[in-house]
Amino acid sequence: MKGILSIQSHVVYGHAGNSSAVFPMQRMGFEVWPLHTVQFSNHTQYKEGWTGKAFSGDDISELVAGIEGIDQLKNCEAVLTGYQGSASQCLAIIDTVKKVKQHNPNAIYICDPVMGDPEKGCIVADGIAEYLINDVMPIADAIVPNQFELSQFVGMEIHNLNDAVAACKKALTMGPKMVLVKHLHSISDEKFTMMLATAEGCFLAQRPHLKFDKQPVGVGDLISSLFTAGLLKGWAPEQAFEHAHNACYAVLKETSRRGEWELQTIAAQDEIVAPSEVFPISAITE
């Protein structure tokens, strides 16, 4: 049984981390092996608070060792990582990726380097951002940062489209083969903007903004999961990017229609497979 090892946060109620990422990958036809870095009652943007705890790096390593013990790492097609609860977890991630690739050299690693965003600032524990930038992101086949996380990785500010292209190109020289920027807020006020950069060039995806009383959480986790599943289907990165963009919009549109802020992933599940609205990507010409 081949599968995707998804190492992310988990919420009991709602959709964030693995709770946002696992079902879309399953709905797209893949077995998913969820491994939780933290387990919270709900995501942390609830003003009422939350309960739960982070697991240690040793907890992750122990579970991966168990999968190795039953000789299943050879069947791991991809490792997808998101929110890390401690710096020690970053070390466990590095070790896990190396182990998986030893057992299956064709496996890919997709890293969503959760550090924060311009509005929230840094939202992770001490040491995590440094490990992500210096040790984790360079070993990834694909990274899925937001604008803030990309700027931290490449050490340059992003104010416009030219800056974004330059930052993505620099990131491609630092280890990753693909860069999917899940939100470029400096490009347009009128449209939500994403970018993909590969050796083939840079591509832009834009869609209408949707209004929410409270902004949904777990959108980045949804995007990275859709992109991962698309790549494993054998799609070209551009196709996987466009599909992730369109499917994510469909989930958000259903969420908005229902007046919710928890992602309506289950209600929009058919759209995850075949989005009814398509926003074609465009190549960026210099």
Side-chain angles (χ1 to χ4, degrees):
M1 182 178 71
K2 294 185 177 181
I4 301 167
L5 179 59
S6 182
I7 309 176
Q8 306 193 52
S9 61
H10 172 75
V11 292
V12 178
Y13 174 82
H15 296 282
N18 270 333
S19 304
S20 175
V22 171
F23 178 72
M25 292 188 287
Q26 292 172 329
R27 192 65 179 80
M28 288 181 69
F30 294 95
E31 292 285 348
V32 185
W33 310 340
L35 198 167
H36 306 326
T37 56
V38 305
Q39 180 157 284
F40 293 161
S41 57
N42 48 274
H43 68 65
T44 59
Q45 297 305 304
Y46 278 86
K47 59 179 174 41
E48 298 88 348
W50 72 94
T51 59
K53 67 176 183 178
F55 299 106
S56 70
D58 288 341
D59 290 326
I60 293 175
S61 298
E62 181 182 358
L63 291 169
V64 172
I67 300 171
E68 184 179 35
I70 58 172
D71 196 28
Q72 288 303 310
L73 288 186
K74 66 185 181 186
N75 290 320
C76 181
E77 296 184 283
V79 178
L80 170 62
T81 63
Y83 179 86
Q84 304 302 307
S86 66
S88 68
Q89 288 182 349
C90 293
L91 297 175
I93 294 299
I94 295 167
D95 184 59
T96 296
V97 171
K98 289 178 180 177
K99 272 190 176 181
V100 167
K101 292 202 171 197
Q102 284 171 358
H103 287 273
N104 179 11
N106 294 321
I108 59 174
Y109 173 37
I110 296 88
C111 173
D112 182 350
V114 180
M115 299 178 210
D117 60 37
E119 288 78 28
K120 299 173 186 176
C122 190
I123 58 170
V124 294
D126 291 344
I128 292 178
E130 289 78 10
Y131 271 121
L132 287 172
I133 292 167
N134 297 321
D135 303 290
V136 180
M137 295 170 76
I139 68 170
D141 295 288
I143 57 173
V144 190
N146 60 25
Q147 180 174 311
F148 172 76
E149 292 154 353
L150 175 61
S151 68
Q152 294 299 297
F153 181 47
V154 299
M156 59 184 289
E157 294 185 358
I158 300 170
H159 300 290
N160 51 47
L161 183 60
N162 288 338
D163 290 345
V165 170
C168 283
K169 287 185 174 181
K170 183 175 180 180
L172 290 174
T173 69
M174 299 169 67
K177 304 175 188 68
M178 291 171 273
V179 180
L180 192 170
V181 191
K182 58 197 174 192
H183 186 197
L184 277 169
H185 63 268
S186 292
I187 304 303
S188 172
D189 292 330
E190 289 74 37
K191 294 182 179 181
F192 186 94
T193 304
M194 294 167 49
M195 182 181 288
L196 173 72
T198 70
E200 303 302 316
C202 294
F203 304 86
L204 207 63
Q206 293 185 307
R207 61 180 187 259
H209 279 295
L210 294 168
K211 291 185 178 180
F212 294 93
D213 293 334
K214 293 186 288 187
Q215 284 299 312
V217 174
V219 179
D221 309 317
L222 174 62
I223 292 169
S224 61
S225 70
L226 292 166
F227 185 61
T228 299
L231 292 176
L232 290 185
K233 278 183 172 291
W235 295 346
E238 297 90 338
Q239 182 181 358
F241 173 55
E242 184 174 278
H243 178 269
H245 176 255
N246 293 330
C248 181
Y249 176 76
V251 172
L252 285 167
K253 190 171 183 179
E254 182 65 19
T255 304
S256 175
R257 188 184 74 82
R258 291 172 178 250
E260 299 282 353
W261 75 315
E262 288 285 4
L263 291 174
Q264 297 298 294
T265 313
I266 308 303
Q269 60 180 285
D270 291 341
E271 295 276 347
I272 288 171
V273 178
S276 55
E277 290 186 74
V278 175
F279 302 93
I281 65 173
S282 59
I284 300 172
T285 55
E286 298 181 47

